[in-house]
Amino acid sequence: MRLTLLLFLTLSTSSAFASTVKLDYSVFFGYMKTLYKLEYEHVTTAFYLLDKNSRELCLINNAQMVVDQKREAVEFHKQGRLLPFFSDQHRKDGAVIEVDLAAGQSSPQCDLQVTLMAKESELNNLSFGRLALISEQLEGVLHKNAGMIGKYFLPDFSGVRLQLAEPLTAAQSSQLDKQISTAENGDLLITNNYMNSVDAQQLIAWNIKRITPWLSK
């Protein structure tokens, strides 16, 4: 189970071939403010646009922060990821992020998916000690976002989910510790107990693409 927040968004059609979606900047700011306050170095909140029907990433042509008539560029990855800057003043001014989708999008509607994950810079030369710290910070952000009451209704934080760049071979899977589970999609599920039971200096041998919370019921 991934940590995601799906927000239904209605797109305004600018032509028969491309669409523009307008997003309230305060939504982004709220998540970024949590990390800013906690001063966590190893995790981040990522913002993606997904096609509502196909669940494929929406392709982005351009993104801008808009306040009245003033426009500022917003960083993005063409494959659906937005990287807005942090500004309390823009939040107070009621800023909106306008995203121009690539022509030929299959759907006039997209979902904003908010994903808590380890920073990409943490994925190389990763030790089990660092992985345990990432897990601790992921859980901290999760509970902070949920608030004082909401945290009691969250699923159990069991550990971390490792999305691999390439699936393990049958031989590699057979060599996994019995305490490491494999999800149906091939992700590795590692408990906090296991991370804390092995040598903290031991490096992780797998090629990891993404680290997210592992939540269980």
Side-chain angles (χ1 to χ4, degrees), residues 56-131:
E56 298 292 331
L57 289 169
C58 297
L59 301 181
I60 298 174
N61 270 343
N62 191 36
Q64 294 181 313
M65 186 91 74
V66 182
V67 178
D68 297 325
Q69 301 302 313
K70 184 178 180 181
R71 292 176 174 269
E72 297 178 65
V74 171
E75 291 187 28
F76 65 93
H77 295 166
K78 185 174 179 63
Q79 295 292 330
R81 184 174 177 181
L82 295 168
L83 297 96
F85 54 82
F86 182 81
S87 170
D88 192 32
Q89 187 60 53
H90 282 72
R91 179 193 63 81
K92 293 177 180 178
D93 292 341
V96 172
I97 296 180
E98 290 190 1
V99 183
D100 295 329
L101 302 178
Q105 292 287 285
S106 61
S107 172
Q109 295 176 325
C110 283
D111 289 329
L112 177 64
Q113 183 188 70
V114 183
T115 303
L116 180 60
M117 63 187 192
K119 292 181 178 179
E120 294 177 355
S121 59
E122 300 295 317
L123 303 182
N124 298 318
N125 298 318
L126 181 64
S127 68
F128 275 97
R130 178 61 61 84
L131 186 62

Side-chain angles (χ1 to χ4, degrees), residues 26-86:
S26 64
V27 173
F28 299 86
F29 180 85
Y31 288 99
M32 292 188 289
K33 184 178 180 180
T34 297
L35 285 173
Y36 180 79
K37 283 187 172 182
L38 294 174
E39 298 183 342
Y40 285 165
E41 299 179 358
H42 307 297
V43 300
T44 188
T45 300
F47 305 98
Y48 295 94
L49 286 176
L50 276 72
D51 185 282
K52 179 185 175 184
N53 298 314
S54 69
R55 310 313 300 161
E56 298 292 331
L57 289 169
C58 297
L59 301 181
I60 298 174
N61 270 343
N62 191 36
Q64 294 181 313
M65 186 91 74
V66 182
V67 178
D68 297 325
Q69 301 302 313
K70 184 178 180 181
R71 292 176 174 269
E72 297 178 65
V74 171
E75 291 187 28
F76 65 93
H77 295 166
K78 185 174 179 63
Q79 295 292 330
R81 184 174 177 181
L82 295 168
L83 297 96
F85 54 82
F86 182 81

Side-chain angles (χ1 to χ4, degrees), residues 13-33:
T13 303
S14 57
S15 73
F17 304 101
S19 298
T20 298
V21 59
K22 297 181 179 181
L23 308 169
D24 187 346
Y25 173 66
S26 64
V27 173
F28 299 86
F29 180 85
Y31 288 99
M32 292 188 289
K33 184 178 180 180

Side-chain angles (χ1 to χ4, degrees), residues 148-205:
M148 291 297 295
I149 298 177
K151 66 182 181 181
Y152 295 107
F153 299 93
L154 289 172
D156 292 334
F157 187 95
S158 299
V160 292
R161 175 184 288 267
L162 307 184
Q163 180 182 347
L164 305 181
E166 297 180 356
L168 297 181
T169 65
Q172 290 173 322
S173 297
S174 66
Q175 296 176 359
L176 290 175
D177 189 282
K178 293 181 179 180
Q179 297 185 66
I180 299 177
S181 304
T182 303
E184 291 183 0
N185 65 353
D187 290 352
L188 298 183
L189 308 175
I190 303 181
T191 66
N192 290 318
N193 287 338
Y194 179 75
M195 280 181 274
N196 293 315
S197 69
V198 298
D199 183 356
Q201 301 302 316
Q202 180 180 335
L203 295 179
I204 294 174

Side-chain angles (χ1 to χ4, degrees), residues 1-7 31 46 48 50 55 112-116 142 210 212-213 215:
M1 178 179 179
R2 293 180 305 173
L3 171 65
T4 59
L5 172 66
L6 298 182
L7 304 176
Y31 288 99
Y48 295 94
L50 276 72
R55 310 313 300 161
L112 177 64
Q113 183 188 70
V114 183
T115 303
L116 180 60
L142 179 65
R210 183 180 295 180
T212 55
L215 304 177

